[in-house]
């Protein structure tokens, strides 16, 4: 992936944060799975977001090249060859909320991540990411995110400003020396006593969701903060860090996050073109009622204020 700097002029604010369409060149190298495929079959099989006819036209016009050369549509790719794809890119909009800097040191910056904004470039997002927005709006230099939050999750994000500081944080995280705390707004009256959920998490990448079944060990501690009889505010302390762990474990307790689009039920139809990845026209992102409020380790602690829904 060829990265380039973002600037304030890249963004338009109109009911959300939009990115002006821009030209971009993706760079990749042929891996073992791609070797032996035609250049068109490779793209049609691996990148299904565009129709096959688009890739035929892109190869013929030179928008897609192999080792810098235009090739025929029947060209068979070889291991380690460089493939470039030059295209006009349209990023999805994100919610209009600012990326607020909470704390800034020479080697660390912490921010309050808005819901709907990915942490770093992924999928369809590059400039509409925390890293891209900070690059455009603040002169912080090279940034090293040391943990991630799901796109729809808000709250504390710790970013190292040097590789050495990033290694410091990662060593503590991997060594189990870091405690994390989130808050969630869930359905119903959550039990008053502390609850520990110890249920394996299995993430299904093709469905983009996790289940509490055979999988990787996962443990979360929950404590009720308050309830109004309809919803409860719950403190969540994940001991492990599996994909969608808190969301799945809350669903497992019978008290899912009250506005969670994936885990309020399992009515997923595998033949449906909207379940669960695609958003039908007219749908808009909503801030998931899950928010990271605290990270602490040996000799350090960072916090983020509660969101409005809490």
């Amino acid at each position: 992936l060829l990265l380039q700097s973002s600037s304030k002029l890249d963004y338009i604010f109109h009911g959300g944060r939009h990115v002006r369409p821009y030209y971009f060149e993706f760079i990749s190298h042929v891996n073992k799975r791609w070797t032996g495929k035609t250049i068109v079959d490779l793209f049609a099989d691996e990148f299904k977001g565009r129709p096959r006819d688009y890739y035929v036209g892109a190869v013929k016009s030179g928008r897609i090249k192999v080792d810098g050369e235009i090739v025929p549509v029947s060209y068979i790719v070889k291991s380690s060859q460089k493939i470039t794809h030059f295209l006009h890119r349209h990023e999805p909009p994100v919610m209009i909320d600012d990326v607020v800097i909470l704390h800034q040191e020479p080697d660390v910056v912490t921010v309050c991540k808005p819901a709907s904004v990915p942490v770093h470039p992924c999928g369809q997002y590059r400039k509409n990411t925390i890293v891209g927005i900070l690059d455009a709006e603040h002169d912080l230099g090279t940034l090293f995110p040391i943990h991630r939050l799901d796109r729809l999750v808000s709250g504390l994000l710790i970013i190292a400003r040097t590789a050495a500081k990033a290694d410091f944080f990662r060593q503590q995280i991997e060594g189990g020396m870091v405690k994390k705390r989130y808050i969630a707004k869930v359905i119903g009256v959550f039990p008053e006593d502390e609850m520990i959920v110890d249920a394996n998490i299995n993430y299904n990448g093709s469905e983009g969701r996790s289940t509490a079944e055979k999988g990787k060990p996962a443990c979360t501690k929950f404590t009720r903060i308050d309830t109004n009889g309809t919803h409860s505010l719950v403190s969540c302390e994940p001991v492990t860090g599996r994909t969608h762990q808190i969301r799945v474990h809350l669903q497992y307790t019978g008290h899912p996050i009250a506005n969670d689009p994936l885990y309020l039920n399992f009515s997923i139809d595998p033949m449906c073109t909207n379940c669960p990845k695609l958003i039908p026209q007219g749908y808009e992102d909503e801030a998931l009622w899950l928010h990271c409020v605290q990270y602490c380790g040996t000799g350090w602690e960072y916090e983020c204020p509660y969101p409005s829904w809490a």
Side-chain angles (χ1 to χ4, degrees):
L1 182 67
L2 180 64
L3 296 178
Q4 62 191 53
S5 295
S6 302
S7 78
K8 292 181 180 180
L9 297 178
D10 292 332
Y11 301 94
I12 301 170
F13 298 90
H14 181 72
R17 181 188 288 264
H18 298 255
V19 174
R20 298 178 190 276
Y22 56 94
Y23 285 102
F24 190 76
E25 186 173 59
F26 285 94
I27 298 176
S28 57
H29 290 83
V30 177
N31 59 37
K32 185 176 181 180
R33 188 176 73 249
W34 295 356
T35 300
K37 291 187 175 184
T38 69
I39 187 67
V40 171
D41 285 345
L42 186 164
F43 276 88
D45 293 345
E46 300 290 336
F47 305 100
K48 300 181 185 294
R50 291 178 172 81
R52 184 183 181 87
D53 286 349
Y54 165 82
Y55 294 120
V56 171
V59 171
K60 288 181 176 179
S61 66
R63 289 287 183 100
I64 293 175
K65 295 181 179 180
V66 179
D67 288 336
E69 302 291 334
I70 296 177
V71 297
V73 293
S74 59
Y75 183 84
I76 295 176
V77 300
K78 305 175 185 66
S79 178
S80 299
Q81 285 184 310
K82 184 175 80 169
I83 296 179
T84 55
H85 183 195
F86 185 77
L87 76 168
H88 199 227
R89 195 170 192 195
H90 294 244
E91 293 192 28
V94 298
M95 295 172 70
I96 203 166
D97 300 4
D98 290 335
V99 178
V100 177
I101 293 181
L102 301 170
H103 186 78
Q104 189 170 338
E105 302 172 6
D107 53 1
V108 180
V109 62
T110 67
V111 302
C112 186
K113 173 192 169 311
S116 84
V117 184
V119 173
H120 46 66
C122 59
Q124 301 177 75
Y125 299 89
R126 191 180 69 84
K127 295 187 178 187
N128 252 349
T129 62
I130 297 297
V131 171
I133 293 168
L134 289 176
D135 180 40
E137 297 184 350
H138 302 276
D139 186 18
L140 296 175
T142 304
L143 299 176
F144 303 84
I146 58 102
H147 67 105
R148 64 180 293 273
L149 300 176
D150 288 342
R151 189 177 68 84
L152 292 181
V153 177
S154 59
L156 177 68
L157 188 68
I158 305 170
I159 303 173
R161 301 180 67 183
T162 66
K165 195 65 174 182
D167 287 340
F168 165 81
F169 282 123
R170 288 183 184 127
Q171 287 171 14
Q172 290 208 3
I173 291 172
E174 292 169 4
M177 302 161 65
V178 174
K179 292 183 179 180
K180 301 165 277 188
R181 188 168 71 88
Y182 293 70
I183 53 169
K185 188 175 181 179
V186 304
I187 293 283
V189 178
F190 199 85
E192 186 175 7
D193 295 334
E194 177 183 284
M195 180 187 297
I196 295 178
V197 175
D198 197 347
N200 289 2
I201 295 292
N202 180 56
Y203 178 68
N204 186 322
S206 63
E207 292 187 357
R209 65 204 308 267
S210 296
T211 52
E213 55 182 35
K214 291 182 179 179
K216 295 181 179 179
C219 180
T220 313
K221 181 172 74 174
F222 298 108
T223 308
R224 192 178 82 190
I225 298 172
D226 197 8
T227 184
N228 62 7
T230 302
H231 297 116
S232 298
L233 193 64
V234 179
S235 173
C236 317
E237 298 181 39
V239 179
T240 50
R242 309 302 181 198
T243 301
H244 294 186
Q245 174 177 322
I246 294 174
R247 299 166 70 179
V248 175
H249 278 179
L250 283 169
Q251 192 273 343
Y252 183 82
T253 70
H255 298 275
I257 295 171
N259 68 343
D260 193 327
L262 278 185
Y263 298 106
L264 275 174
N265 62 69
F266 286 86
S267 57
I268 300 296
D269 183 342
M271 294 298 293
C272 176
T273 58
N274 290 315
C275 290
K277 289 185 176 180
L278 302 180
I279 301 174
Q281 274 197 327
Y283 278 35
E284 293 184 1
D285 277 339
E286 180 180 8
L288 186 67
W289 288 342
L290 179 63
H291 182 85
C292 181
V293 293
Q294 184 185 58
Y295 262 65
C296 59
T298 304
W300 58 271
E301 178 178 327
Y302 296 106
E303 293 190 355
C304 183
Y306 279 18
S308 58
W309 52 258

